[in-house]
Every structure is written in C-alpha cells, then in structure tokens.
Amino acid sequence: MRDVDAFRGDVLDLALRLRRGLGPGLLESVDETVLAARPAALGYLVSRQHPVDIGFEGQVFPAAFRIDLLVDNRSVVEVESVEKLVPVHGDQLLTYLRLIEQPVGLLINFGGETMKEGARRIVNRHRPSASPRPRANENTE
C-alpha cells in the first residue's frame, strides 16, 4: 500500500501547478476532473464523486453524500472553487472523514486569491467515547 502522506504531497503539488496553469475561476467540476487525472495516470485508484451510504438509527441511506475524490479507498480530497473557505467547508470534510472512518483528508480551494490559503489538511480525531444512551421508554432487559 502506498504512503498516504506522499500522495497528499503529490496532490498539493499538482493543485499548485493546476492553479498556475489554468488560473482561478473555473468550475469546481473542471478542477476536480483535472486533479483526478494525474494520480490515476500514476497508478492510483481514483474514484470521482464516490457515493457513500450512511446509516442512522437502523436505516440505511444509499448514496447520502458523494466524496469529490477518493484515492486508493482511503484518501479523501474535497475540491472547492469559492472566493474564501469558511469553517463549514472544513466541517463538511471532517464529517465525511468520520462517516467513512478515515483519519485525514485534504480540502483544496481553487477559487481563492492564493493556493496557500486554499489548501487545508483536515484531521479526524473523533473517537466514540460511550455507547448510545437507551431512550426513556426503551426496554433494556
């Protein structure tokens, strides 16, 4: 299995080259398409708009959300093309990481003034600390 941190470095390098070559202001889907092509050419397994099912209170919701890029079934890359990243962008990626039980993802914004302010590494430190509480009228025997 390839080193995840090396891959992230490759993606950030590619994102910088993409930004310099094509500039800001493209649709998110264009940035995502180009960003996915290079790792695939290097032999990584790249899934664009990867559907993820979630479960909640005994129900399963198929394709409840889609990951922009899932690489080697473990590296998550979320692509944005907005003027400025706001906390909800990081929160969204963190939630995705928690739901698919992965430790780290990349958030890359191609729409900002510079790539330095548009690339963030998001770390999932979430560890469930307790089992769910029984409900007041639920029989636990």
Side-chain angles (χ1 to χ4, degrees):
M1 186 150 285
R2 299 177 203 220
D3 181 51
V4 175
D5 288 325
F7 165 75
R8 289 188 193 103
D10 291 343
V11 167
L12 290 173
D13 179 61
L14 177 59
L16 275 169
R17 292 193 331 241
L18 173 58
R19 170 63 187 263
R20 287 180 185 146
L22 299 178
L26 295 174
L27 293 175
E28 182 179 314
S29 60
V30 175
D31 291 323
E32 178 187 312
T33 299
V34 176
L35 194 60
R38 183 69 178 148
L42 294 173
Y44 289 97
L45 174 64
V46 179
S47 176
R48 287 186 58 222
Q49 293 300 310
H50 183 81
V52 177
D53 302 343
I54 62 169
F56 182 72
E57 294 185 348
Q59 288 187 291
V60 175
F61 301 92
F65 67 93
R66 294 182 178 274
I67 295 171
D68 288 344
L69 299 176
L70 181 64
V71 182
D72 286 345
N73 291 314
R74 63 190 177 132
S75 294
V76 177
V77 180
E78 275 299 304
V79 178
E80 297 292 339
S81 186
V82 295
E83 187 175 328
K84 184 175 181 172
L85 289 174
V86 293
V88 72
H89 293 114
D91 293 345
Q92 177 185 18
L93 176 53
L94 183 57
T95 297
Y96 290 176
L97 292 171
R98 287 179 179 167
L99 290 171
I100 65 169
E101 299 176 355
Q102 291 298 319
V104 181
L106 286 177
L107 175 60
I108 301 175
N109 180 28
F110 288 95
E113 195 167 316
T114 67
M115 280 301 296
K116 183 178 180 180
E117 65 191 31
R120 296 191 184 153
R121 182 174 180 259
I122 305 293
V123 178
N124 174 16
R125 290 186 176 17
H126 178 71
R127 300 280 183 262
S129 60
S131 60
R133 290 185 301 151
R135 292 183 207 146
N137 45 347
E138 180 178 54
N139 187 354
T140 58
E141 294 177 20

